[in-house]
Amino acid sequence: MKKAGYVLLVIGACLIFGGVMILNQPPQTIKAREVSKIGVVMNGSFIDRSYTQAQFDGLAEAAAAFEGVTLSCQDNVPVNDDFPRLVGSMIADGCEAIVCDNYLYDDYLLSLAEEYPDVEFYNASGTVTAENLSSYLGRMYQVRYLAGIVAGAQTQTNEIGYVLAFLTPETIRQLNAFAIGVRKVNPDAVVYVRRTEDWNDGEKAAAVTTALLDAHDIDVLTQHVNPISPLRVADERGVCTIGSNVDNRELFPDTCLTSCVFNWEPFFAARIDEMERNRSIGKHYWEGVRTGMVALTPLSEAVSAETEALVNAELSRLLDGSFDVFFGPVTDASGINRVRAGENISDEYLLYEMDWLVDGVVME
Amino acid sequence: MNESVRIRFSDPGVRRLLRTFILLLLALVMIGLFLYMRVNVLINRYMEVQGEKQAETLAELTERQFQVELTALYTVASEITHITGDRTSALLAVDRADSDGRIGVQYIDGSPFYGKAYSIDEFPCIERAVHGENAISYCAGEGLMFAVPAMRGDNIAFVVYRLFPDEVLYQRFGVNSYSGSGRTRVEDINDNVIVTSLPPDSDEQLIFNEPSAARGIQVLETTLYTSGSAAAFRNTSIGEVMLYAAVIEDSDYHLVGYVPKEVVMQGVQRISLLVILVFLVLAAMVFFGGFLLIGLERKSRESDALREAARIAEKSNAAKSEFLSNMSHDIRTPMNAIIGFTNLAIRDPSDTERVTEYLGKIRSSSNHLLSLINDVLEMSRIESGKIELEEKPCSLPEILHDLNTIIIGQVEAKQQELTMDALNVVNEDVYCDKLRLNQVLLNLLSNAVKYTPAGGHIAVRVSQLDSGDAEHGRYEFRVKDNGIGMSPEFAARVFEAFEREKTSTVSGIQGTGLGMAITKSIVDMMGGEIRVETEKGKGSEFIVSVSFRLQSAAAPDRRIPELAGLHALVVDDDFNTCDSATTLLTQIGLRPEWTLSGKEAVLRARQAHERGDGFRVFIVDWKLPDLSGIEVARQIRAAVGEDSPILLMTAYDWPTIKDEAIEAGVNGFCNKPLFLSELYGALTKVLGSVEEQKPQAEELAPISFAGRRLLLVDDIEMNREIAVAVLEMNDFEVEEACDGTEAVEKVTAAEPGYFDAVLMDVQMPTMNGYEATRAIRTSGTPNANIPIIAMTANAFDEDKKAALEAGMDGHVAKPVDVARLMEVLGGILRNEA
């Protein structure tokens, strides 16, 4: 009995010793983070053939290039308290990143970013950043500028229509960029602008477009809303259109001149790569034609070669950095010189403060 | 109290303590190791956390440096923008002021205004400045550029940059940590090195590139962007270093660095050492404490033992005092009688009748005193362990028969009845100390006789119990009487010295009071038990259980084939005897029956004989109530004829009744208690028609001592006087010697045959009896082999043995028993004749 006691004691001692050794092991080297699941939560629909779909397609394409990365998706998510709950469940499900598409999610995302410091958050069109929260957008205004050149060159009536949702710095600067482009090639053209007061309501957009087209002799129309109903309306009337977000030329083969599109794939690819190397930083991305985040789709045959050459020339100026759309001089609609020659409007201003319209824009 | 405690390792208690102690020590060592490792780990982790904080601080420092640069540049930019005069000279002045970096101003379209214009491909920060942000970027080969927009209102008018070439970077922006012992470098998001804390190609910077360090930094960088900072210890070519890293806020850069472990651990190492030291001290304390404990334990146990010993000693002292006081009383009583009666006798010696009476009383008192003294001496020798049992081969039947012989006289004197029987005694021959066993049984028997009134009954039974051990037999001796019994209080204390029933003085029964104590001591020495069952007024039974080593394990086969299955009849008025007799007969192979009545026995014998199924053997007790045994035998013989042998059982001596029995038709005799061997022997002899010859006691012709001369040696004159008187009364001639030397002289000098024998006292000064005897024996003189008889006050076996070993021929005890002395002398001198 005593012998058994001794044996037990020795075994116990060894166990304790071993346990201690194990406990005191220095922590094993940690692998760089492996991205396996990205959660996608979007306000719009993945099949809207527009903004949301562009995002989704870009992300899907980028993710496909990485081995083992899957997407967990939810669209048509409204901006309310369901949003953070959904995001929480996605994270619990194993998502290492969350991609969203609306600045209206900003506040929720700020608190979510704080709650989940190990998860990377990306919000398109967002305005806030945190250590693990990035907002991103493309300098669509550059492409709008090029589109404006096309429109200005194309119009016969010198009346161009522009349908947008709300007047926000985003829509204003794109509108202004468009108008600057128009005026560059056609100082006489006027851009008539009407608001739909809704980003996604197709019927409303169609109605506004109809009213706009009725009111003026517009032969080129462009839009800054998600639905493509304005294009349809224009197409029915034989009015040329310049699309946005997605290339819908096959829908409107006769009237579509070009489209201002996002190309999200490189951006997302870079982000996923960063994540895998554990180098994700929360910051504001605003990339333009130089990185290919925004682009003008190939011009239709209706556009003259001259115009195309001009477009290309302007594009290369944008590409080499010697020119940006809001390099002065810029005069607003009331005639005030807002930007002197040799000056540039700051990004800050463009993003958050632009509230005036350039010369040649008529707000209706 | 202050004597040192010697720790003896043979002591099992100490060994146990030592074992526990060693285990404790082992446990301590384990705990110590664990503690040490844990402390180290904790310290390391703590230092790493500190390292992280340090890294963060350094990163912050770098950031601030950058920030300062940008702010300064911004100031320059805004000044430039608002100068209305010569911008160029102002810029020149700024440039000169800080020669580390080169100032440059370019338009938003990239064309130069002052200094070299750089493209946004080389320095992306320019593009950001064009868009209104302060920015920093690095171009390998060119350097680090800080670019700020020169604002005019909300708009950007110029881009103002300051470019620091690679060479100045480490001086300008390098941060040294840990008072210069640590090295850092700033890397961009793709791990390109931007700023170092020392010249980039210095050895210390190259450490960063070592595989182990690089790997370590990689590990840090895996958590860097989530946690903001990280640190870990790593082994490199210069030893163990702490690697640390932190992100630089508001930039794509991070800072990595290393510092040798010793620098970091300086003060902290002491903590670890301190912990170890404290632990060692504690362990040492426990170690010595343990020794102290052992010592204390021993001391306490010793003091406990001492206390116990003191208690026992005290108790023993008390017992001794009590013993002495009792004894002195008991000694005084007969002494008083002796002195008293002597005085009375002296007063009137002429009154022979009275004087004879007095002398008789003096004698009996003397004898009593002598037996008391012997008992006391015996008791003390037993208690001091001087007695050893002598195990010799004995025969239990013989012992019991001897007992019978000795006690029968006293029994008959009190007209009591004694029955002895044996039950289940399979192994009759054992090894035991016959003398001591006799002492015990005799003591019990004599007590039984003493404490049973006249007409009472005493029964002795020996039985063998199952011992479970092939080599030893367990025996039980029961001595039962129907005497006065004992009260329960006395029964509990009967075996203690000097215990006598309170009423003994009233009933006038004499005794030394030591008998039972001695008996118990002897039984204890034999490894047995003695107990008593008693009831006052009804009687007592003493039961002695003891184990003896068997002479042979096998029970001898005592079957008589010729008698197998034949009938036998046992006649005895004691049921127990019938029981044991029938058991024995069955073992022999017969089919016994029994009866308590002699008349019935005769009747049954006749009937059986007439039936034709007669009894083959008869065993008849001599003492039967209705008919005497001999008469029964006569009648049975008459009834059944001569064929069947009749054995007569008796507890008493045969010779007196032998003739009458034989004449009545008895064929053989056997003694009670019946033992298997004896019954078997008696039957076989009877069947063999061999008449047993009882060895006759030799008819001894009385011897005359006339003309015999003895040498009496004793140093005490009075002893010599008494002895000489006694011897001369028996016709001896006596010469005296006072001590051993004189004796040796006289014997060796004497002519052969001058002395017939020597009576040698043993205890003498100068030369004692043994020495004198040896001297005589080895003297080589013709008288060397003269018979020498020892006379000694020591009456014990050892003394007898010693006497014989010294060369003596015999031994008598003092005070000399005249008859015994004459017997011994007679025995010796007869042989000489």
Side-chain angles (χ1 to χ4, degrees), chain A residues 233-304:
Chain A
V233 167
D235 182 70
E236 282 165 11
R237 292 190 182 213
V239 173
C240 291
T241 59
I242 295 175
S244 61
N245 293 326
V246 168
D247 186 359
N248 287 313
R249 103 183 44 238
E250 62 260 25
L251 293 176
F252 315 112
D254 299 324
T255 52
C256 183
L257 295 174
T258 183
S259 296
C260 308
V261 296
F262 286 103
N263 195 1
W264 296 111
E265 191 265 326
F267 170 77
F268 285 129
R271 300 291 81 74
I272 295 174
D273 180 56
E274 263 171 24
M275 274 180 69
E276 292 210 329
R277 288 185 303 122
N278 231 299
R279 290 284 199 273
S280 307
I281 306 177
K283 64 188 202 183
H284 188 263
Y285 297 88
W286 202 17
E287 293 170 14
V289 288
R290 267 171 65 87
T291 59
M293 190 184 268
V294 291
L296 199 63
T297 57
L299 304 171
S300 85
E301 289 179 1
V303 179
S304 70

Side-chain angles (χ1 to χ4, degrees), chain A residues 67-265:
Chain A
E67 220 181 286
V69 179
T70 58
L71 299 180
S72 172
C73 315
Q74 192 71 33
D75 60 355
N76 296 314
V77 176
V79 184
N80 56 27
D81 287 339
D82 283 339
F83 172 74
R85 242 175 282 138
L86 175 63
V87 171
S89 70
M90 275 182 161
I91 291 170
D93 204 28
C95 290
E96 289 110 351
I98 301 288
V99 177
C100 304
D101 70 338
N102 203 318
Y103 64 90
L104 294 170
Y105 292 139
D106 274 347
D107 290 331
Y108 289 119
L109 284 171
L110 267 176
S111 40
L112 282 167
E114 202 171 313
E115 196 181 330
Y116 300 101
D118 289 335
V119 177
E120 300 299 328
F121 293 87
Y122 299 96
N123 192 19
S125 83
T127 57
V128 293
T129 59
E131 236 181 86
N132 56 333
L133 170 62
S134 298
S135 293
Y136 61 96
L137 201 57
R139 290 178 193 263
M140 188 52 93
Y141 69 82
Q142 291 178 335
V143 184
R144 289 280 182 196
Y145 169 74
L146 297 173
I149 292 174
V150 173
Q154 202 71 18
T155 183
Q156 304 289 329
T157 63
N158 286 349
E159 290 183 19
I160 299 170
Y162 201 110
V163 176
L164 49 75
F166 299 96
L167 278 178
T168 65
E170 182 192 340
T171 57
I172 288 172
R173 68 172 175 267
Q174 286 190 29
L175 171 60
N176 284 343
F178 183 74
I180 290 171
V182 164
R183 277 299 175 107
K184 187 170 172 76
V185 296
N186 191 345
D188 300 323
V190 177
V191 182
Y192 293 102
V193 187
R194 291 213 181 182
R195 289 162 287 186
T196 64
E197 306 289 346
D198 190 295
W199 275 105
N200 292 309
D201 193 336
E203 277 180 28
K204 226 176 187 172
V208 167
T209 311
T210 312
L212 178 63
L213 290 175
D214 286 341
H216 301 280
D217 190 15
I218 292 168
D219 61 350
V220 180
L221 180 82
T222 191
Q223 60 164 74
H224 194 173
V225 289
N226 285 343
I228 55 173
S229 51
L231 301 178
R232 189 168 287 119
V233 167
D235 182 70
E236 282 165 11
R237 292 190 182 213
V239 173
C240 291
T241 59
I242 295 175
S244 61
N245 293 326
V246 168
D247 186 359
N248 287 313
R249 103 183 44 238
E250 62 260 25
L251 293 176
F252 315 112
D254 299 324
T255 52
C256 183
L257 295 174
T258 183
S259 296
C260 308
V261 296
F262 286 103
N263 195 1
W264 296 111
E265 191 265 326

Side-chain angles (χ1 to χ4, degrees), chain B residues 347-488:
Chain B
R347 202 177 300 147
D348 191 8
S350 55
D351 187 348
T352 5
E353 202 183 306
R354 274 262 171 79
V355 168
T356 317
E357 189 195 324
Y358 292 154
L359 287 170
K361 292 208 164 96
I362 290 170
R363 181 163 67 175
S364 75
S365 292
S366 315
N367 284 333
H368 178 82
L369 191 57
L370 184 62
S371 69
L372 177 65
I373 291 171
N374 278 338
D375 277 354
V376 167
L377 287 172
E378 177 97 354
M379 197 62 215
S380 92
R381 285 175 77 247
I382 290 176
E383 281 204 337
S384 64
K386 287 218 181 93
I387 292 209
E388 272 175 26
L389 291 176
E390 251 186 70
E391 288 204 348
K392 289 209 206 90
C394 315
S395 152
L396 283 175
E398 199 183 305
I399 290 175
L400 279 154
H401 291 314
D402 284 347
L403 218 60
N404 194 340
T405 314
I406 294 170
I407 201 72
I408 200 70
Q410 294 179 42
V411 165
E412 283 180 342
K414 275 181 94 169
Q415 291 169 339
Q416 290 165 333
E417 208 181 302
L418 173 68
T419 57
M420 288 195 167
D421 71 342
L423 195 59
N424 282 338
V425 180
V426 175
N427 303 92
E428 296 171 2
D429 299 308
V430 299
Y431 287 99
C432 74
D433 187 332
K434 180 167 163 186
L435 192 73
R436 302 286 175 211
L437 183 61
N438 268 344
Q439 201 174 345
V440 166
L441 295 172
L442 202 55
N443 183 256
L444 293 175
L445 267 172
S446 57
N447 277 350
V449 169
K450 217 179 346 182
Y451 293 103
T452 304
H457 182 100
I458 299 162
V460 178
R461 166 174 284 186
V462 55
S463 46
Q464 182 172 4
L465 311 170
D466 183 26
S467 75
D469 173 3
E471 308 249 324
H472 293 82
R474 254 184 68 204
Y475 296 90
E476 205 180 65
F477 299 89
R478 287 173 177 255
V479 176
K480 187 173 177 165
D481 68 63
N482 58 359
I484 61 174
M486 294 187 268
S487 66

Side-chain angles (χ1 to χ4, degrees), chain A residues 2 6 9 13 17 20-21 23-25 29-33 118 131 139 141 277-281 283 290 320-322 324 327 338-340 342-347 349, chain B residues 16 19 23 30 33-34 37-38 41 45 108-109 120-121 127 130-133 151-152 154-157 189-191 215 219 221-223 225-226 228 234 249 251-252 254:
Chain A
K2 247 193 175 163
Y6 280 134
L9 196 76
F17 199 71
V20 159
M21 297 290 293
L23 274 173
N24 288 341
Q25 284 286 357
T29 52
I30 305 167
K31 277 201 296 189
R33 186 206 297 172
D118 289 335
E131 236 181 86
R139 290 178 193 263
Y141 69 82
R277 288 185 303 122
N278 231 299
R279 290 284 199 273
S280 307
I281 306 177
K283 64 188 202 183
R290 267 171 65 87
D320 70 21
S322 60
D324 198 19
F327 277 16
R338 293 281 186 163
V339 187
R340 282 207 286 239
E343 288 178 10
N344 185 26
I345 304 182
S346 70
D347 278 0
Y349 191 86
Chain B
R16 209 179 331 120
R19 242 199 305 255
L23 281 172
M30 297 234 53
L33 270 166
F34 170 74
M37 287 198 295
R38 196 91 199 116
V41 164
R45 293 224 178 114
I108 57 174
D109 64 1
I120 57 176
D121 291 315
E127 188 187 4
V130 166
H131 284 114
E133 271 180 65
M151 304 298 287
R152 209 180 278 145
D154 285 328
N155 301 331
I156 301 105
I189 200 160
N190 295 315
D191 297 338
R215 180 101 186 87
V219 170
E221 284 172 351
T222 54
T223 55
Y225 281 86
T226 35
R234 198 90 184 175
E249 300 285 321
S251 77
D252 285 358
H254 56 267

Side-chain angles (χ1 to χ4, degrees), chain B residues 223-293:
Chain B
T223 55
L224 188 56
Y225 281 86
T226 35
S227 52
S229 60
F233 285 102
R234 198 90 184 175
N235 234 336
T236 64
S237 65
I238 56 166
E240 210 171 342
V241 301
M242 184 167 75
L243 299 168
Y244 49 87
V247 295
I248 298 176
E249 300 285 321
D250 296 331
S251 77
D252 285 358
Y253 300 155
H254 56 267
L255 178 129
V256 298
Y258 74 86
V259 62
K261 186 170 181 179
E262 312 88 68
V263 173
V264 156
M265 296 293 258
Q266 252 165 23
V268 176
Q269 202 73 291
R270 286 206 202 103
I271 295 176
S272 168
L273 270 166
L274 191 69
V275 169
I276 299 301
L277 197 70
V278 167
F279 180 77
L280 281 174
V281 167
L282 279 173
M285 276 170 61
V286 169
F287 192 76
F288 289 115
F291 264 122
L292 202 72
L293 263 175

Side-chain angles (χ1 to χ4, degrees), chain B residues 35 244 366 399 557 712 734:
Chain B
L35 203 67
Y244 49 87
S366 315
I399 290 175
D557 184 15
L712 176 70
V734 188

Side-chain angles (χ1 to χ4, degrees), chain B residues 180-241:
Chain B
S181 328
R183 304 281 170 252
T184 59
R185 68 186 194 186
V186 177
E187 298 173 355
D188 71 5
I189 200 160
N190 295 315
D191 297 338
N192 300 314
V193 179
I194 298 169
V195 180
T196 56
S197 59
L198 284 179
D201 49 3
S202 69
D203 289 335
E204 293 189 356
Q205 284 298 142
L206 290 173
I207 301 279
F208 283 110
N209 299 336
E210 271 182 29
S212 55
R215 180 101 186 87
I217 292 172
Q218 253 177 34
V219 170
L220 293 181
E221 284 172 351
T222 54
T223 55
L224 188 56
Y225 281 86
T226 35
S227 52
S229 60
F233 285 102
R234 198 90 184 175
N235 234 336
T236 64
S237 65
I238 56 166
E240 210 171 342
V241 301

